[in-house]
Amino acid sequence: MVGGASQGPIRVCFPFIGDDVGGSHISALKLIQNLDTSKVVPILVLQETAGPLAAFLQMEGQPFTGFPLPTTSPGKGTIPGDVMTYLTSTLPRMRRFIKEQKFDIVHTNDGRTHVNWGIAARLAGARLVWHHRGDPDAKGANVLAPLIAHRMVTVSRFSRPRHPIRSLKGRLSVIHSPFDHPSTVPDRIAAKAALLDELGLAPGTRVLSFIGGLIERKRPLLFIDILDRFVREHPQIPVVGCVFGNSPAGSQDLEAAARVRCAERGLGQTVRFMGFRNPIEPFLAATDVLVVPAMGEPFGRTLIEAMFLGTPVVATDHGGNPEAIENGRTGFLVTPEDAGAFMEPLSQLLSNPPLWARISDAARDHAFFSYSTHRHVENVMKIYDRALCSRKAGLATDLTSEIGG
């Protein structure tokens, strides 16, 4: 039975920086909103209370606690003064905050919070659950997590650390991200009509969408190459490429680079930059095919959300994509980094209505059968239980790796 030292509800801290919004934030929010509050009191903590994540949470009606920090963990390119400020001021403040708030568990969800809050959690005597949603070769996941995490969760088999410096046996679980079954499915015809009207395009235009943060791993520039080649090879099929997402703060501005590439190739009217949209479901329903050119994607949220809505997906055969898609039945997997590999499945889906319907139906059935927020929450509660049991016992307990929805 999960419970804190007083056997009441346990207190779990979910810390975030707050300067961007992505799949990890949405997945964490799904978990937070579905935890049984008679057993768990989740506290979402933001270091930046005026950033995009705060705005998103306010729109979702999700309360959070502000905890501004001037200097977080020293990283590449930092100066000695930053290191000293972190060690002598920021880290002690975080430790005191965790102790004063009586957090039983600190549940971290991205690289920066893993380091900052993970170290502080250990110093404060809280249990650390490290939720890894990224690269299996990430230094933090392979070096720091094996040393300080009481429990580690990865979102796919692909994203498990490849070369941990210390065995994670008994501490590592694979739990797929949470997905709510859509209570209502947007009407595809109405959604398509609304999108084409917004874009000023003729009825019958087919929509190919890229949805996600404009970061190198997701290959937004390759999406432009795919559209460019498809338009040249299939001029008889009218298409528009919609790019949903933004370049995260502090990262390379790939949106600007993508716009330049579009201008160079005369795709100004063929590719449209839509920015961040919430809710995304109407736009997924308006999409004929979701294009996922990403490399090393641990377990993409949008891919599964598209399957729930019956939107066929063509994705690279890489990362966690093969764990979600059965090639030729629930979607298509293609050779990574090759724009040409996308041509055949895209042309088939856009010109063969029976094939599109078969893939759509199979994808929807698979998503409803395989993924649920309820199952995800159940598996995470087991992680919390074992983390606290190992604290009480004073030793690590064995934990069989679980794969859940």
Side-chain angles (χ1 to χ4, degrees), residues 145-221:
L147 296 177
I148 70 171
H150 295 97
R151 289 292 182 272
M152 186 175 193
V153 179
T154 65
V155 296
S156 62
R157 292 186 294 274
F158 166 79
S159 59
R160 292 175 297 189
R162 282 205 182 104
H163 307 291
I165 65 170
R166 178 187 173 196
S167 173
L168 286 161
K169 183 178 180 180
R171 294 185 289 149
L172 175 65
S173 297
V174 177
I175 304 178
H176 290 153
S177 298
F179 297 90
D180 288 332
H181 294 175
S183 55
T184 59
V185 176
D187 181 271
R188 298 190 70 92
I189 295 175
K192 170 69 79 62
L195 177 59
L196 294 181
D197 182 63
E198 176 184 342
L199 299 177
L201 296 173
T205 302
R206 314 307 295 274
V207 179
L208 304 179
S209 291
F210 171 102
I211 302 177
L214 303 188
I215 58 176
E216 180 59 30
R217 187 185 78 229
K218 294 183 183 292
R219 301 295 196 266
L221 298 183

Side-chain angles (χ1 to χ4, degrees), residues 182 188 284 290 299-313 321 323-326 329-331 359-368 370-371:
R188 298 190 70 92
L284 268 173
L290 179 69
F299 199 74
R301 284 200 62 83
T302 306
L303 185 154
I304 303 298
E305 291 168 345
M307 294 172 74
F308 269 118
L309 297 178
T311 297
V313 179
N321 295 339
E323 295 179 41
I325 292 177
E326 182 181 343
R329 192 181 78 84
T330 61
I359 295 293
S360 172
D361 290 343
R364 185 187 297 109
D365 290 346
H366 175 72
F368 274 92
S370 302
Y371 306 108

Side-chain angles (χ1 to χ4, degrees), residues 40-277:
V40 179
V41 177
I43 309 294
L44 205 156
V45 177
L46 294 191
Q47 293 174 210
E48 295 187 10
T49 57
L53 182 54
F56 175 72
L57 294 175
Q58 288 164 352
M59 185 169 56
E60 291 288 314
Q62 174 62 42
F64 58 85
T65 297
F67 185 62
L69 291 171
T71 303
T72 51
S73 66
K76 187 175 182 179
T78 56
I79 60 176
D82 291 335
V83 175
M84 289 305 298
T85 300
Y86 171 71
L87 293 175
T88 61
S89 176
T90 305
L91 190 57
R93 280 186 61 200
M94 298 170 78
R95 174 181 175 273
R96 285 195 302 272
F97 177 76
I98 293 168
K99 290 180 73 68
E100 289 169 356
Q101 292 291 320
K102 295 182 169 53
F103 288 126
D104 298 288
I105 292 172
V106 175
H107 187 151
T108 57
N109 288 272
D110 61 55
R112 291 176 293 172
T113 55
H114 290 325
V115 176
N116 290 291
W117 289 86
I119 295 172
R122 289 302 301 250
L123 292 175
R127 307 306 277 178
L128 173 61
V129 174
W130 180 305
H131 208 137
H132 183 57
R133 306 175 184 275
D135 187 349
D137 293 316
K139 187 174 181 180
N142 286 276
V143 177
L144 188 59
L147 296 177
I148 70 171
H150 295 97
R151 289 292 182 272
M152 186 175 193
V153 179
T154 65
V155 296
S156 62
R157 292 186 294 274
F158 166 79
S159 59
R160 292 175 297 189
R162 282 205 182 104
H163 307 291
I165 65 170
R166 178 187 173 196
S167 173
L168 286 161
K169 183 178 180 180
R171 294 185 289 149
L172 175 65
S173 297
V174 177
I175 304 178
H176 290 153
S177 298
F179 297 90
D180 288 332
H181 294 175
S183 55
T184 59
V185 176
D187 181 271
R188 298 190 70 92
I189 295 175
K192 170 69 79 62
L195 177 59
L196 294 181
D197 182 63
E198 176 184 342
L199 299 177
L201 296 173
T205 302
R206 314 307 295 274
V207 179
L208 304 179
S209 291
F210 171 102
I211 302 177
L214 303 188
I215 58 176
E216 180 59 30
R217 187 185 78 229
K218 294 183 183 292
R219 301 295 196 266
L221 298 183
L222 180 56
F223 177 72
I224 305 303
D225 294 342
I226 292 166
L227 262 294
D228 180 37
R229 182 159 178 168
F230 189 85
V231 168
R232 287 186 284 106
E233 293 188 7
H234 301 279
Q236 77 282 9
I237 302 177
V239 297
V240 62
C242 292
V243 178
F244 294 92
N246 298 312
S247 296
S251 69
Q252 181 184 359
D253 190 355
L254 289 182
E255 179 176 340
R259 288 180 180 275
V260 168
R261 185 165 296 191
C262 286
E264 292 172 345
R265 300 184 183 181
L267 297 172
Q269 294 302 306
T270 303
V271 177
R272 306 296 181 90
F273 293 86
M274 310 296 293
F276 177 78
R277 301 292 182 102

